[in-house]
């Protein structure tokens, strides 16, 4: 049985908690508090430690899904969970003030996860804000991480099929990275 | 796992019935003044107290006993996460509401608990000279005083 630890990162309000809720086969663990920072995101609650869910892929591969708090003041949780992770689902809400800047910041913070396994970018809330278009994100990803294969999707965090597509793409990348590493080890 | 209905009710001293956006506790001068007052009393009650912070449930510092702004902010964030994790464990084990959290270390310990009826948390760091029982009872008194003071200010 293989286990993958996948992080869901992104700014406050991007849909990380909702995405894990959509994907998880178990009752999710959530650590929400009443949000007193309505200027940053106009929502009732915010994650202050982590979200946790699980999903089985194939016959027996277990994927552990960890959602991170979006605010930098909780970056100690980013560090703790980053150590165990092999992949990242980076969610960016398109209705943010500057979503491309959010993409920059989170890729800078978590970009190394590409070498450990893989990264996918999910642009959410495109129904609310149609621009920037997805090609802007893809272009920026190419600029920031040239030569890396990082898929960019638009997705609704509430839609389990769409989130599953994003996750499966990431798992495929992680398994490919592991296979390449194993073959390089054998060749060395 | 936490429903909004299960979260502690927010009580703001500056809240107006017609105001759609009440001041957050960490921005409310009345709440901050109350927090500073109870924390200074805390230091008088307990000599082994190293540091204490009152924070919002979502990790903003309301007031602290120490002057290190960066450290105070960090303690507030970490205490918020700890409180939420404690709540999550208690809920998952179906053992009721979290009353307090204790982190016992080699040379001291941290006690944290909610300010009753408010979405705020008291986090206090004591050195090892204090007994856990006394520290806990003083912390409980301070948290209760905070609630009483806010309520009387609001009334």
């Amino acid at each position: 049985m293989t286990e993958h630890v996948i992080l869901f990162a992104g700014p406050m309000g991007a849909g990380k908690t909702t995405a894990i809720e959509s994907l998880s086969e178990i009752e999710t663990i959530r650590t929400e508090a009443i949000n007193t920072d309505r200027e940053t995101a106009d929502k009732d609650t915010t994650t202050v430690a982590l979200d946790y869910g699980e999903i089985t892929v194939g016959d027996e591969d277990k994927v552990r899904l960890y959602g991170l708090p979006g605010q930098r003041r909780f970056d100690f949780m980013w560090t703790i969970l980053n150590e165990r992770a092999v992949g990242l689902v980076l969610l960016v809400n398109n209705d943010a003030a500057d979503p491309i800047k959010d993409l920059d910041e989170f890729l800078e913070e978590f970009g190394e996860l590409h070498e450990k396994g893989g990264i996918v970018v999910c642009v959410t809330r495109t129904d609310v804000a149609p621009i920037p278009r997805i090609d802007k994100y893809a272009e920026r990803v190419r600029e920031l991480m040239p030569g890396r294969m990082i898929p960019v999707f638009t997705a609704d965090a509430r839609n389990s099929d769409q989130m599953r597509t994003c996750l499966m793409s990431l798992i495929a990348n992680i398994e490919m990275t592991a296979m390449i590493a194993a073959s390089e080890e054998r060749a060395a | 796992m936490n429903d909004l209905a299960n979260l502690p009710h927010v009580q703001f001293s500056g809240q107006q019935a017609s105001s759609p956006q009440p001041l957050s506790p960490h921005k409310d001068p009345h709440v901050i003044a109350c927090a500073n007052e109870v924390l200074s009393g805390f230091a008088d009650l307990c000599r082994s107290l190293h540091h204490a912070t009152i924070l919002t449930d979502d990790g903003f510092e309301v007031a602290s006993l120490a002057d290190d702004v960066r450290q105070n902010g960090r303690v507030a964030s970490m205490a918020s996460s700890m409180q939420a994790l404690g709540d999550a464990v208690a809920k998952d084990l179906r053992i009721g509401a979290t009353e307090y959290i204790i982190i016992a270390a080699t040379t001291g310990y941290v006690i944290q608990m909610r300010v009753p009826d408010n979405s705020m948390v008291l986090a206090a760091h004591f050195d090892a000279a204090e007994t856990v029982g006394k520290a806990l009872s003083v912390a409980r008194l301070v948290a209760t005083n905070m609630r009483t003071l806010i309520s009387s200010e609001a009334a």
Side-chain angles (χ1 to χ4, degrees), chain A residues 27-39 42 44-46 48-50 69 71 73-77, chain B residues 1-2 4 7-8 10 21 24-27 56-60 74 77-78 80-81 84-85 88 92 119:
Chain A
E27 185 184 3
T28 57
I29 293 168
R30 293 164 62 165
T31 58
E32 287 186 297
I34 290 173
N35 172 33
T36 65
D37 184 17
R38 292 286 183 143
E39 290 157 16
D42 189 18
D44 292 332
T45 61
T46 186
V48 294
L50 53 82
Q71 305 94 319
R73 67 179 185 279
F74 295 110
D75 61 1
F76 57 91
M77 290 301 307
Chain B
M1 288 174 66
N2 291 344
L4 182 57
L7 291 169
V10 191
Q21 290 283 327
S24 304
H26 63 288
K27 293 177 181 168
T56 63
D57 264 9
D58 63 342
F60 288 106
R74 192 152 178 84
S77 301
M78 295 182 99
S80 160
S81 297
L85 286 167
D92 213 55
S119 62

